[in-house]
Amino acid sequence: MTQCPECDAAVENPTMIPGEVFPCPDCGTELEVTGKNPFTVELAPQEAEDWGE
Ligand SMILES: [Zn+2]
């Protein structure tokens, strides 16, 4: 079973394809699909365009 790297919730989602980003259903952290078989996810890169003005 694949788990959210942030909160360890199960994040099986067979309709996702590698490269897609989706929020963890439990903690809302953005996760990026990195593998289909087996299904794997990583923390998605954070967009931080509004920083440092
Ligand atoms: Zn989570």
Side-chain angles (χ1 to χ4, degrees), residues 3-11 23-31 43:
Q3 293 177 303
C4 171
E6 190 72 15
C7 71
D8 291 337
V11 289
C24 171
D26 210 61
C27 70
T29 299
E30 297 265 286
L31 304 174
L43 293 177

Side-chain angles (χ1 to χ4, degrees), residues 1-3 8-12 39:
M1 176 177 294
T2 305
Q3 293 177 303
D8 291 337
V11 289
E12 292 291 338
F39 185 75

